[in-house]
Amino acid sequence: MSSNPDNNNGDDEDDGSNNVLSRFVAPRIDDIGLPIADAMVAQVVAPSFQILAISLTRTPIPTWLRPGTDILFPTRGSLLAPTLIHGAGLATCWVLGALAARAFESEAFDVSGGKGYGEPIARTLKAGAFATGCLILATQIDLQNEFGGYVQLGYSDGTDVRIAQALDEVLKDIVFEASTLFGWRMYRSSLTSQRDEAE
């Protein structure tokens, strides 16, 4: 969490890999509460919306939401722990994406003074793209650990079903995380324009 001493807002790309590495090890965070708020939205709000949509549409529940043991009568709150655990992984992917896209810098959420929403939208989409890549990579590692090695479609019916389930779950995660976080980020940006109007 450092500020840029040259006041060039990190736009100077001349330092190559040092600039990319500094996004993760010494990021510029202008609103100290924003990473926490982003993580809470990614960990709690988006997965909760996903569970609500699953229950309303009566679609099959994802593998991360199934209880670890077979119980005859599920207890209240049995969805809470799996949701928070799965959400923690999604929040990690989002925070990594936001760091990569420099989405915690004031330029990524400040629309005051007629700056417009171009930069907040661009940085949110860049962060989402990086987070999506992290989620896909994590899913591939999870499948490799589950099957004890590399698997692909066509190995067996069991692996084909599991890969199809994983693909469905990743797509749902991407849709719900993207829509929720994009809405949150645009709302957060609108707060700076409201502050500008109040002055």
Side-chain angles (χ1 to χ4, degrees):
M1 290 179 272
S2 64
S3 60
N4 196 342
D6 299 334
N7 266 342
N8 63 0
N9 297 328
D11 294 332
D12 188 1
E13 300 291 333
D14 293 337
D15 53 356
S17 63
N18 290 335
N19 187 26
V20 172
L21 184 61
S22 70
R23 293 180 189 190
F24 297 99
V25 296
R28 192 179 112 211
I29 300 175
D30 293 330
D31 179 358
I32 198 68
L34 189 56
I36 296 168
D38 277 5
M40 293 302 291
V41 169
Q43 181 179 9
V44 178
V45 177
S48 297
F49 282 152
Q50 185 174 357
I51 292 172
L52 179 65
I54 287 169
S55 64
L56 290 176
T57 59
R58 300 186 188 276
T59 57
I61 62 172
T63 55
W64 55 265
L65 197 55
R66 292 187 186 132
T69 59
D70 291 330
I71 49 177
L72 185 57
F73 300 106
T75 58
R76 289 186 186 172
S78 62
L79 301 179
L80 182 63
T83 303
L84 292 177
I85 292 169
H86 181 69
L90 297 173
T92 301
C93 293
W94 170 256
V95 170
L96 287 173
L99 289 172
R102 298 186 321 233
F104 297 130
E105 297 176 2
S106 62
E107 295 84 5
F109 57 84
D110 187 9
V111 296
S112 63
K115 295 176 188 168
Y117 284 89
E119 191 65 22
I121 290 172
R123 292 208 192 180
T124 302
L125 293 177
K126 289 176 186 176
F130 192 93
T132 298
C134 291
L135 179 60
I136 291 170
L137 180 63
T139 302
Q140 290 175 332
I141 292 170
D142 183 48
L143 287 172
Q144 188 171 10
N145 287 338
E146 183 177 334
F147 289 107
Y150 177 77
V151 293
Q152 65 182 16
L153 288 172
Y155 277 8
S156 70
D157 290 341
T159 59
D160 289 353
V161 168
R162 181 63 186 106
I163 290 171
Q165 283 178 332
L167 176 63
D168 179 58
E169 292 171 9
V170 166
L171 291 176
K172 286 179 182 174
D173 284 339
I174 291 169
V175 167
F176 281 94
E177 288 287 323
S179 57
T180 306
L181 283 163
F182 187 81
W184 155 245
R185 277 305 191 122
M186 294 307 105
Y187 171 73
R188 172 63 183 92
S189 297
S190 72
L191 294 178
T192 60
S193 69
Q194 292 173 2
R195 183 185 69 213
D196 201 28
E197 292 169 4
E199 293 173 355

